[in-house]
């Protein structure tokens, strides 16, 4: 074996999986569940990044990390059972094993946003990829101006991280507003879409907006933010595309000239506005 071949053989493959045992499962909303893994060696990531998670014999999916970036001993993922892989994952219990590789992708620009007002806008399970960024910003509270979290869900039962949203609301140094598409009599909050909350929000000239949710929701949110004078340079979106390799090799997640796994999933809006305006076939 040549020295080069020996070196290549010794290097880890981008497809190497780490077997991990699910330490606990919490059921957050219909079809939505959160896995916690204990990581003895520690796990470090930047808010907004994702892992590829493999269910034995079923397949692999990209899942954002939803845990606290300051806590390295655990890894947390929040998933929704929507398809062939995630519905099998939904049936796994604590003690079951999955394969994990990552973290991959770009991150929310938390350091760049220091000194600005920060607006987090989430739709549905989109709160999961934003949670690490919210926790990091709140942990450095004096580094930021106003902090506002706007959250839209289908119904009160579909809201995730409900207790945490209450805790954040109770801090008084951050504004939390939630809205639902439909609700029964036990819901005292507003009913409608998340853009209604933006039209009522106090938005200043130095606003950084971090947005994550279904693409249709993000389109309307961006439009409303621009209408409210937020610069396209200050709007950040988390994009989803089907992924295979997760590391920029297969082209599966190509979006215009970029690969969402490598150049994304977090994009600054002005850099992708032309693509964002184009509906894919
Ligand atoms: C960067 C990135 C981060 C992600 N983070 C998360 C996360 O934190 N949690 C999470 O649950 N998912 C996340 N996803 C989405 C996740 O990867 C997909 O839900 C997953 O690929 C679906 O795989 P599947 O094989 O179970 O479904 P498939 O068999 O591929 O899909 C089956 C059906 O479900 C529909 N479907 C697929 N994805 C979605 C979706 N997201 N919403 C609604 N319908 C869908 C399809 O249109 C299809 O009809 C992320 C994706 C990316 C690219
Ligand atoms: S998933 Fe292979 S290039 Fe992005």
């Amino acid at each position: 074996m040549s020295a080069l071949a020996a070196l290549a053989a010794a290097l880890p493959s981008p497809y190497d999986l780490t077997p991990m045992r699910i330490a606990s499962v919490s059921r957050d909303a219909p079809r939505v569940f959160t896995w916690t893994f204990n990581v003895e060696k520690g796990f470090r990531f930047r808010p907004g990044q994702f892992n590829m998670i493999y269910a034995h014999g079923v397949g692999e999916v990209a899942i954002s990390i939803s845990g606290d970036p300051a806590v390295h001993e655990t890894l947390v993922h929040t998933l929704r059972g929507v398809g062939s892989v995630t519905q099998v994952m939904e049936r796994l219990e604590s003690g079951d094993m999955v394969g994990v590789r990552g973290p991959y992708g770009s991150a929310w620009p938390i350091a760049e946003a220091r000194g600005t007002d920060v607006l987090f806008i989430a739709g549905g399970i989109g709160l999961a990829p934003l949670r690490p960024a919210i926790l990091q910003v709140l942990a450095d509270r004096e580094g930021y101006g106003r902090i506002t979290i706007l959250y839209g869900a289908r119904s009160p039962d579909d809201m995730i991280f409900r207790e945490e949203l209450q805790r954040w609301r109770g801090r008084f140094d951050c504004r939390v507003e939630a809205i639902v598409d439909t609700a029964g009599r036990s819901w005292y909050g507003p009913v409608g879409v998340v853009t209604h909350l933006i039209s009522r929000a106090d938005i200043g000239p130095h606003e950084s907006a971090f947005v994550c949710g279904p693409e249709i929701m993000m389109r309307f949110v961006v439009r409303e933010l621009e209408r409210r004078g937020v610069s396209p340079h200050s709007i950040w979106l988390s994009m989803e595309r089907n992924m295979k390799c997760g590391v920029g090799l297969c082209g599966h997640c190509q979006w215009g000239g970029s690969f969402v796994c490598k150049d994304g999933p977090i994009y600054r809006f002005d850099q992708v506005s032309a693509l964002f305006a184009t509906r894919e076939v």
Side-chain angles (χ1 to χ4, degrees):
M1 196 188 279
S2 72
L4 197 58
L7 179 66
L11 287 173
S13 149
Y15 300 107
D16 279 350
L17 289 166
T18 303
M20 286 196 177
R21 192 177 298 284
I22 301 167
S24 68
V25 183
S26 67
R27 308 277 163 191
D28 305 312
R31 313 236 69 147
V32 180
F33 52 100
T34 294
W35 286 343
T36 301
F37 302 89
N38 296 325
V39 194
E40 256 174 46
K41 287 184 187 160
F43 186 89
R44 286 167 196 273
F45 71 100
R46 292 179 300 141
Q49 289 191 298
F50 66 95
N51 280 325
M52 295 299 293
I53 307 190
Y54 174 71
H56 188 70
V58 183
E60 201 181 31
V61 285
I63 302 292
S64 301
I65 303 161
S66 62
D68 186 342
V71 177
H72 304 138
E73 300 75 30
T74 58
L75 167 65
V76 183
H77 282 290
T78 301
L79 299 89
R80 190 171 56 187
V82 291
S84 52
V85 179
T86 48
Q87 282 178 357
V88 171
M89 291 176 162
E90 198 179 348
R91 296 199 290 271
L92 299 182
E93 303 285 352
S94 58
D96 287 336
M97 300 291 292
V98 293
V100 178
R101 57 189 178 93
Y104 298 131
S106 58
W108 300 108
I110 293 172
E112 281 175 48
R114 226 166 172 270
T116 69
D117 295 333
V118 187
L119 183 56
F120 296 98
I121 307 176
I125 197 176
L127 187 56
L130 279 172
R131 181 173 177 257
I134 295 171
L135 291 172
Q136 189 164 326
V137 166
L138 289 178
D140 179 23
R141 184 64 192 87
E142 66 285 359
Y144 298 85
R146 260 190 321 237
I147 296 176
T148 309
I149 301 167
L150 306 181
Y151 181 40
R154 280 187 202 153
S155 73
D157 286 346
D158 288 304
M159 291 173 63
I160 63 170
F161 309 142
R162 264 172 286 185
E163 284 174 20
E164 197 156 37
L165 283 165
Q166 286 296 354
R167 258 205 313 281
W168 292 337
R169 182 176 275 142
R171 286 174 59 115
F172 299 110
D173 60 358
C174 102
R175 185 162 160 232
V176 179
E177 298 279 350
I179 191 164
V180 294
D181 296 348
T182 52
R185 288 185 177 184
S186 56
W187 173 254
Y188 295 103
V191 174
V193 289
V194 77
T195 41
H196 291 175
L197 298 179
I198 304 173
S199 57
R200 296 191 333 203
D202 207 357
I203 291 180
H206 305 293
E207 201 79 40
S208 303
F210 297 176
V211 186
C212 186
E215 214 161 300
I216 182 77
M217 165 257 178
M218 293 201 289
R219 283 175 200 278
F220 284 107
V221 163
V222 165
R223 202 181 294 170
E224 186 63 23
L225 287 173
E226 287 191 300
R227 201 184 65 79
R228 294 293 311 276
V230 181
S231 158
H233 296 75
S234 307
I235 302 174
W236 300 78
L237 310 171
S238 181
M239 295 303 298
E240 274 194 19
R241 283 295 177 273
N242 272 339
M243 290 188 183
K244 285 279 181 234
C245 71
V247 289
L249 295 176
C250 72
H252 213 78
C253 66
Q254 186 163 5
W255 187 40
S258 84
F259 290 155
V260 175
C261 65
K262 192 167 58 74
D263 307 311
I266 312 299
Y267 290 93
R268 205 175 75 192
F269 176 63
D270 62 310
Q271 292 169 343
V272 292
S273 54
L275 276 178
F276 203 65
T278 316
R279 284 199 178 278
E280 293 196 9
V281 283

